[in-house]
Amino acid sequence: MNNLTKIYGEGENRVKALDNVSFSIEKGEIVLIVGSSGSGKSTLLNMIGLLDRPTNGKIFIDGIDTTILDDNNISSFRNKKLGFIFQFSNLLTDLSVLENIMLPRQIAGTNHAAEKDARDLLKAVGLEDQMTKRANKISGGQSQRVAIARGLINKPSIVLADEPTGNLDSVTSETIVQLMKSMAKKLNQTFIIVTHDRQHFGDVDKVITIKDGRAFEGDQPSEMEVIA
Ligand code: ADP
Ligand code: ADP
């Protein structure tokens, strides 16, 4: 991220959501983005996820300047390079667990080995035995495991997660956090995670704290307490 600024609206509605943010993330790192509500975390994740464009600044992914890509190229780049995990699993309830995981592969138009890879991922997230169940017949924690597998099916360079434990109880959160950490290490994939759940993640490679649209590297517990 190179001098990223994002401004929403204009005139009296003008909001500077990100203010000249720069940092870098190495391949395979687990990075947390923390900060109080309204600080700019989602905006930052939307920029990195190429879901929205910065007002100023550049975003390089695998050495490519994504800010010069047109909308078509951005979509295919996103499908190939990025995986998403959200607060709510957003599974399609008419489909089976296995079909949900295969979906991003089908959307990307590369069906090759989709079922085998989906089965392997299901095994990795510990849900092999739920494969044929419909997605509305499994628990919240299981749904989030499926969402993680779905986020990984296209072998993305970077996995972006927005409050992946935000809708889970403490015990389930713990298992989801451990799962994400072990998958990141096993697959050498970069995970960038927006979370209010700093404690559950324990030791990670990098923490970026966003405060009033500015980014700081590292935990700032004393400051965070004051903000909260
Ligand atoms: P966080 O994810 O940390 O809660 P956000 O990135 O959602 O913060 O928001 C940062 C600031 O930008 C807030 O003041 C928010 O109201 C504003 N904002 C976010 N998205 C938009 C938008 N689409 N239009 C206008 N203002 C927005
Ligand atoms: P969170 O605090 O959980 O990150 P928010 O409620 O801030 O989530 O934002 C949810 C969505 O609404 C985001 O996509 C964000 O860009 C958008 N959003 C946030 N604030 C505004 C706003 N003031 N105007 C329009 N959209 C907004």
Side-chain angles (χ1 to χ4, degrees):
M1 313 298 128
N2 206 330
N3 297 108
L4 279 192
T5 293
K6 178 65 177 181
I7 293 168
Y8 293 112
E10 42 191 69
E12 59 187 31
N13 294 321
R14 188 178 187 274
V15 176
K16 195 184 261 191
L18 290 179
D19 185 4
N20 210 22
V21 166
S22 298
F23 59 87
S24 57
I25 290 172
E26 304 299 325
K27 182 171 170 58
E29 280 188 332
I30 300 176
V31 180
L32 300 184
I33 298 176
V34 303
S36 55
S37 196
S39 58
K41 304 183 296 298
S42 294
T43 300
L44 178 59
L45 207 69
N46 288 346
M47 302 293 133
I48 305 174
L50 309 179
L51 298 166
D52 195 3
R53 290 177 185 270
T55 308
N56 270 306
K58 291 195 173 294
I59 302 169
F60 292 89
I61 298 178
D62 285 350
I64 292 167
D65 179 0
T66 61
T67 42
I68 63 169
L69 299 177
D70 66 21
D71 287 348
N72 279 336
N73 285 325
I74 285 241
S75 300
S76 66
F77 189 87
R78 194 193 302 122
N79 284 334
K80 282 197 204 104
K81 298 273 188 182
L82 306 176
F84 294 88
I85 300 166
F86 302 100
Q87 175 172 1
F88 298 98
S89 55
N90 296 321
L91 301 181
L92 296 184
T93 53
D94 284 344
L95 300 182
S96 72
V97 162
L98 192 72
E99 288 165 340
N100 266 282
I101 296 173
M102 286 160 55
L103 206 54
R105 182 75 66 90
Q106 289 161 342
I107 290 170
T110 49
N111 268 329
H112 179 67
E115 183 163 341
K116 181 188 180 299
D117 289 351
R119 282 169 186 262
D120 287 348
L121 277 169
L122 260 185
K123 195 170 170 184
V125 301
L127 285 179
E128 226 181 350
D129 53 342
Q130 306 292 321
M131 191 162 71
T132 57
K133 275 206 182 151
R134 271 175 55 154
N136 58 353
K137 298 283 190 241
I138 57 175
S139 72
Q142 289 174 330
S143 298
Q144 205 57 325
R145 285 171 183 269
V146 175
I148 290 171
R150 182 187 53 187
L152 296 173
I153 187 73
N154 284 343
K155 302 184 168 69
S157 311
I158 307 176
V159 179
L160 299 161
D162 198 351
E163 295 283 0
T165 61
N167 190 39
L168 303 174
D169 63 66
S170 180
V171 174
T172 313
S173 293
E174 185 66 40
T175 63
I176 291 295
V177 163
Q178 293 315 323
L179 175 64
M180 290 175 67
K181 288 178 78 170
S182 72
M183 297 294 277
K185 288 298 161 219
K186 190 155 78 183
L187 302 171
N188 193 27
Q189 271 164 323
T190 311
F191 272 66
I192 305 175
I193 305 163
V194 167
T195 186
H196 283 108
D197 208 2
R198 172 70 192 93
Q199 314 84 291
H200 272 132
F201 279 89
D203 201 20
V204 294
D205 296 305
K206 195 172 280 173
V207 177
I208 292 168
T209 300
I210 308 293
K211 189 183 176 221
D212 297 333
R214 312 231 5 142
F216 303 87
E217 211 162 306
D219 282 299
Q220 299 179 303
S222 53
E223 201 172 352
M224 295 308 297
E225 276 161 32
V226 176
I227 297 165

